[in-house]
Amino acid sequence: MKKLKETKISGISLPLYAFFVAVIIVVTLLGKLPLDMVGLTLLLVTLGHLLYFIGEKLPIMNSYLGGGSVFTLIGATLLSFFHIVPSNVIGAVSNFMGGKFGFLDFYIAALICGSILGMNRNLLVKASKKFIPIALITMVIGFFSVGLVGMLIGNGFADSVMYVSMPMMSGGMGAGITPLSQIYAAGLAHGNQAAIFSQLAPAVTFGNILAIIGALSIAKVFNKSKYNGHGTLVAATKEELAKPKIKLDAQQIGTGMLFAFALLMAGDILNKFFPNIHQYAFMIIIVFILKATNTVPKDLILSIIMCK
């Protein structure tokens, strides 16, 4: 009993978390869950952290199958597949994340800016020299491998590349297949973004699960190998790894958010002239150039890190 009282999920005591879950279950069963920012934020954050917590505690899952990260993906998929979460709620979540509400744009803009600008400049340049060539080589190999296997099983090279290889390489749902499905819909004669998204989703979900499990397996097998960096991609000094000291300030957070959103809009402007390249890609390029050229003042960088 004492252990249960001491248990916390994302820093929240178990009784309080149980209250959150109970409220969500009751309000959903009554059909009264607000399908707006308040209701959907409570639903997504509470269920997401709960599934992650369970995945981290399951014996085999936490050691060999990716732990909380994979269990969250599997759990969310099962909740949707078995209609445990009502279809109208799932539709509202889709709109909230990537539809008319565009929460993902809000989140991704801050994430991209904060992550890249918050890195040490020297470390970023060193990592890029090693990472970019390997990333390009693996993408090319993956592209043609999936296409050739697709041909062998009768699925076709182009179809396999478009609906399996590309979504897997895109990374995920938000900044991955959401813009990718938009690009496909705009380029195809009778493209339907929602229908294309549903075709891309299984590949990216299954691909991410296998990637996490595969990376974990390789790390365990080569645990004592000299080639195992144990999470360190490139050798770095203490100065390069040091994180800036941050004191939260509401005004600075607001400034950082405005700057991040302005860079996303800059990506939208470039996308207007080069529609085949998504605005997220342009934004990443812009932020990378700003960081590499040391253009952004230190105070502004701290503001952007705060809003991440």
Side-chain angles (χ1 to χ4, degrees), residues 70-262:
V70 171
F71 191 79
T72 303
L73 287 171
I74 294 173
T77 303
L78 293 176
L79 288 173
S80 174
F81 182 78
F82 290 108
H83 306 290
I84 297 172
V85 177
S87 58
N88 66 318
V89 176
I90 293 173
V93 169
S94 297
N95 279 328
F96 176 68
M97 296 300 290
K100 59 183 179 180
F101 289 100
F103 177 77
L104 273 175
D105 286 339
F106 173 87
Y107 171 73
I108 290 169
L111 180 66
I112 291 173
C113 282
S115 299
I116 298 177
L117 291 178
M119 289 182 67
N120 180 278
R121 179 179 173 274
N122 295 333
L123 185 60
L124 179 64
V125 173
K126 282 200 301 186
S128 299
K129 289 178 180 177
K130 290 188 175 182
F131 178 76
I132 291 177
I134 294 173
L136 290 174
I137 291 169
T138 53
M139 287 172 69
V140 170
I141 293 172
F143 181 90
F144 286 103
S145 297
V146 171
L148 291 172
V149 172
M151 290 175 62
L152 291 174
I153 63 175
N155 197 47
F157 184 91
D159 194 75
S160 299
V161 165
M162 283 186 64
Y163 294 100
V164 179
S165 180
M166 294 300 289
M168 281 186 174
M169 289 191 290
S170 69
M173 296 287 181
I177 62 172
T178 297
L180 188 63
S181 60
Q182 293 170 352
I183 294 170
Y184 283 3
L188 298 173
H190 302 287
N192 181 292
Q193 194 262 337
I196 293 172
F197 183 91
S198 66
Q199 288 180 275
L200 302 179
V204 73
T205 302
F206 191 59
N208 280 339
I209 292 172
L210 288 180
I212 294 170
I213 294 172
L216 186 64
S217 301
I218 291 171
K220 284 189 172 294
V221 171
F222 297 98
N223 184 45
K224 296 182 179 180
S225 170
K226 64 178 182 179
Y227 300 107
N228 190 336
H230 299 285
T232 303
L233 293 177
V234 292
T237 63
K238 288 184 178 180
E239 184 182 3
E240 290 173 338
L241 293 174
K243 294 182 179 179
K245 294 180 180 180
I246 297 173
K247 185 178 180 181
L248 294 179
D249 179 272
Q251 187 174 4
Q252 280 189 286
I253 292 172
T255 303
M257 289 174 64
L258 289 176
F259 185 74
F261 298 157

